[in-house]
Amino acid sequence: MEFEKKPETSYLVRDEAEKLSRDKGIPPERFSEFAKSGWEDIITKFCYTFLDMKKQRGSSLAYSWLNFREGLAHSEPVRCGADEFAYFARVRELIPEEDRDKKLFLILSQGWVYEGYAEEIFSLLPELFYLEDAYILSPKFRWVICHCDDGECAVFSAVKN
């Protein structure tokens, strides 16, 4: 999969995530940007596991949830109300029990990949002003939670066994 150079505006969400993480005193072992040499592999594996690559256009991850593969199991959408923190708490509950205490991947639609625990991920997401789509993935790529910021909802999708 070919990755394009990120537009300048995509750095806004990265800078914001880094600043929020520092301001909250989150240690790097709990949440950090994924290795500079491995992020492309994470995005590629996400794309080929969850997306219909015949429909996926280019390397942008914005609205990639529109191209999820046929045959994935899906939850009912979780809708955002007036309280974003309560919404993200409900979204966090979509994480299967066996993965709740494991490091997860967070892929932002601007192409940034992070690794961290649910507690830290969900403490940052409601405060990211430049957030668009976010994909929270299991460490074994068995499931993904897609948050669509302008759609104000999230859905859990899983690979069927």
Side-chain angles (χ1 to χ4, degrees):
M1 186 168 185
E2 193 68 31
F3 294 97
E4 300 168 8
K5 185 178 183 303
K6 292 178 177 67
E8 290 299 314
T9 56
S10 76
Y11 288 89
L12 295 173
V13 73
R14 177 182 178 232
D15 294 346
E16 187 179 34
E18 300 287 325
K19 182 179 182 332
L20 277 170
S21 184
R22 278 192 313 273
D23 290 353
K24 289 177 173 281
I26 297 173
E29 60 273 9
R30 296 287 304 175
F31 179 84
S32 62
E33 190 174 342
F34 196 75
K36 301 280 187 231
S37 62
W39 65 270
E40 290 176 314
D41 293 337
I42 300 300
I43 292 176
T44 299
K45 189 162 184 174
F46 160 71
C47 289
Y48 283 98
T49 302
F50 295 101
L51 303 180
D52 180 340
M53 295 307 291
K54 292 177 185 166
K55 295 179 183 175
Q56 182 70 13
R57 300 280 185 226
S59 63
S60 172
L61 296 174
Y63 297 101
S64 286
W65 51 269
L66 291 171
N67 299 319
F68 273 13
R69 285 189 2 220
E70 297 277 331
L72 295 175
H74 299 286
S75 71
E76 288 296 316
V78 174
R79 305 231 180 260
C80 185
D83 184 349
E84 262 192 298
F85 289 93
Y87 160 73
F88 278 110
R90 289 191 317 274
V91 173
R92 183 177 173 184
E93 291 300 313
L94 296 173
I95 298 171
E97 188 72 38
E98 66 269 14
D99 289 331
R100 289 188 180 169
D101 295 323
K102 294 179 181 170
K103 273 192 174 180
L104 308 171
F105 293 114
L106 170 65
I107 300 175
L108 302 179
S109 59
Q110 293 92 340
W112 302 108
V113 178
Y114 293 90
E115 186 176 35
Y117 293 91
E119 180 179 343
E120 286 73 18
I121 290 170
F122 286 97
S123 75
L124 295 172
L125 286 177
E127 297 186 46
L128 291 173
F129 178 79
Y130 295 104
L131 184 64
E132 290 174 354
D133 297 333
Y135 304 95
I136 300 119
L137 291 103
S138 78
K140 294 184 179 180
F141 294 84
R142 301 297 303 153
W143 56 263
V144 61
I145 297 170
C146 172
H147 161 74
C148 176
D149 203 60
D150 64 352
E152 297 182 330
C153 67
V155 69
F156 172 91
S157 298
V159 175
K160 292 182 181 177
N161 290 333

